[in-house]
C-alpha cells in the first residue's frame, strides 16, 4: 500500500502518558526574611560541624547529611520545617496516598553548601517517600539541580533531531532563592558543576509516613 493510500485508512494515533515525573514548586511569602535567619544558623553550623561527605563521592561539597541531619528539630529551622510540612501534604494529595490516619513528616533535613568547582554525584534517597530541596542562597549561574530520566540508563541511545519531553535524558531546574522543590525519592538527581565564586547553599530533606 502506498503511503498516501495508507493515510486514508489509518486512524489517528494516541499518545498515553502513564508515568509522568511529578514535581511541586512553591515559595514562602517571607522568604527573604526567612533566608536571612537561616543563613545565620547555617554559618554557625558550618563553622562548628565537620563535613560529612563520604569519601567515595566523586563530587566535592560541604554537607551535614551524615552527621547533623535533624535540623527540623532545631529552633532556627522550625519555621522552614513547618512550611515544608504543609507543602508535602499538598504534594501527597496529588497521589491520593492513604495515610492511615497519620501524616507525612520530615525524617531527615540537612545543609548542602557548594563552593567554586564543587558538584554532587547522581543519587536518590531510598527508605523515604518524597525528597525536597529549599534554596537559601543562589548566586547567578549557580550549579543547577539536574534530574535524570529513567530512560537515561537504556543500553541504546538513538540519535535525536529535536529535544523534547519524550526524549530528554536530563532536565535542569533553574532555581532561585526561596524556591522549594519536592519530588519522589526514587528520582535520580545531581548538582551540576558550580562554576562561580559565590557559595550556593541549600537545605535538603526527605519525608516518610
Amino acid at each position: 500500500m502506498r503511503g498516501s493510500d495508507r493515510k486514508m485508512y489509518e486512524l489517528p494515533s494516541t499518545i498515553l502518558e502513564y508515568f509522568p515525573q511529578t514535581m511541586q514548586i512553591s515559595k514562602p511569602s517571607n522568604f527573604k526574611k526567612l533566608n536571612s535567619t537561616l543563613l545565620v544558623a547555617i554559618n554557625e553550623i558550618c563553622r562548628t560541624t565537620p563535613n560529612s561527605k563520604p569519601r567515595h563521592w566523586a563530587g566535592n561539597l560541604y554537607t551535614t547529611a551524615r552527621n547533623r541531619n535533624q535540623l527540623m528539630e532545631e529552633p532556627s529551622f522550625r519555621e522552614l520545617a513547618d512550611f515544608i510540612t504543609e507543602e508535602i501534604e499538598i504534594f501527597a494529595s496529588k497521589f491520593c496516598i492513604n495515610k492511615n490516619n497519620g501524616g507525612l513528616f520530615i525524617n531527615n533535613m540537612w545543609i548542602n553548601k557548594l563552593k567554586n568547582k564543587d558538584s554532587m554525584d547522581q543519587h536518590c534517597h531510598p527508605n523515604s517517600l518524597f525528597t525536597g530541596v529549599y534554596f537559601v542562597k543562589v548566586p547567578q549561574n549557580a550549579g543547577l539541580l539536574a534530574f535524570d530520566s529513567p530512560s537515561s540508563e537504556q543500553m541504546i541511545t538513538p540519535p535525536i533531531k529535536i529535544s523534547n519531553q519524550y526524549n530528554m535524558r536530563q532536565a535542569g531546574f533553574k532555581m532561585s532563592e526561596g524556591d522549594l522543590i519536592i519530588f519522589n525519592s526514587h528520582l535520580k538527581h545531581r548538582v551540576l558543576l558550580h562554576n562561580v565564586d559565590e557559595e550556593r547553599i541549600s537545605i535538603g530533606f526527605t519525608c516518610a509516613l
Side-chain angles (χ1 to χ4, degrees):
M1 183 182 294
R2 293 178 303 176
S4 58
D5 293 335
R6 181 173 177 270
K7 294 289 184 184
M8 296 173 60
Y9 299 99
E10 186 179 271
L11 294 174
S13 299
T14 300
I15 298 295
L16 300 178
E17 298 179 335
Y18 277 141
F19 306 111
Q21 298 298 322
T22 307
M23 302 183 191
Q24 179 173 298
I25 312 297
S26 55
K27 178 177 288 192
S29 59
N30 66 334
F31 74 91
K32 290 184 179 180
K33 181 180 178 182
L34 175 61
N35 286 3
S36 178
T37 301
L38 290 171
L39 279 172
V40 173
I42 289 169
N43 288 335
E44 179 61 19
I45 290 172
C46 293
R47 187 183 69 83
T48 58
T49 305
N51 190 356
S52 68
K53 182 186 79 71
R55 290 184 178 182
H56 65 271
W57 285 12
N60 195 39
L61 77 158
Y62 171 89
T63 183
T64 65
R66 300 292 182 94
N67 60 354
R68 195 162 178 176
N69 58 11
Q70 297 295 300
L71 296 181
M72 64 283 188
E73 298 178 358
E74 301 189 23
S76 298
F77 297 86
R78 192 159 296 150
E79 183 178 355
L80 175 61
D82 289 344
F83 176 72
I84 290 171
T85 301
E86 292 175 359
E87 292 299 314
I88 60 177
E89 289 288 345
I90 294 171
F91 190 57
S93 69
K94 307 299 182 185
F95 297 90
C96 300
I97 294 173
N98 183 354
K99 293 179 285 189
N100 294 320
N101 299 319
L104 285 158
F105 63 94
I106 303 169
N107 61 343
N108 285 289
M109 187 173 176
W110 64 92
I111 296 166
N112 287 328
K113 179 190 285 189
L114 284 82
K115 297 181 179 180
N116 195 0
K117 307 302 181 185
D118 285 355
S119 62
M120 185 185 293
D121 291 355
Q122 181 198 64
H123 64 285
C124 62
H125 295 271
N127 302 316
S128 64
L129 187 61
F130 300 139
T131 295
V133 184
Y134 179 76
F135 294 94
V136 181
K137 188 175 181 181
V138 183
Q140 188 174 3
N141 299 318
L144 292 179
L145 172 64
F147 297 93
D148 293 310
S149 166
S151 66
S152 64
E153 298 181 2
Q154 64 189 18
M155 300 300 293
I156 299 175
T157 304
I160 302 299
K161 293 189 296 183
I162 300 174
S163 295
N164 59 30
Q165 69 269 33
Y166 299 113
N167 60 37
M168 64 193 310
R169 299 168 66 81
Q170 186 181 84
F173 173 56
K174 191 172 178 60
M175 62 279 168
S176 61
E177 291 177 1
D179 282 347
L180 171 70
I181 183 168
I182 304 172
F183 48 93
N184 285 290
S185 288
H186 69 267
L187 187 59
K188 292 183 179 179
H189 53 284
R190 66 181 82 192
V191 178
L192 304 182
L193 184 67
H194 181 66
N195 207 21
V196 295
D197 290 333
E198 194 175 353
E199 293 174 333
R200 174 195 189 276
I201 300 174
S202 63
I203 296 174
F205 60 90
T206 55
C207 307
L209 275 173

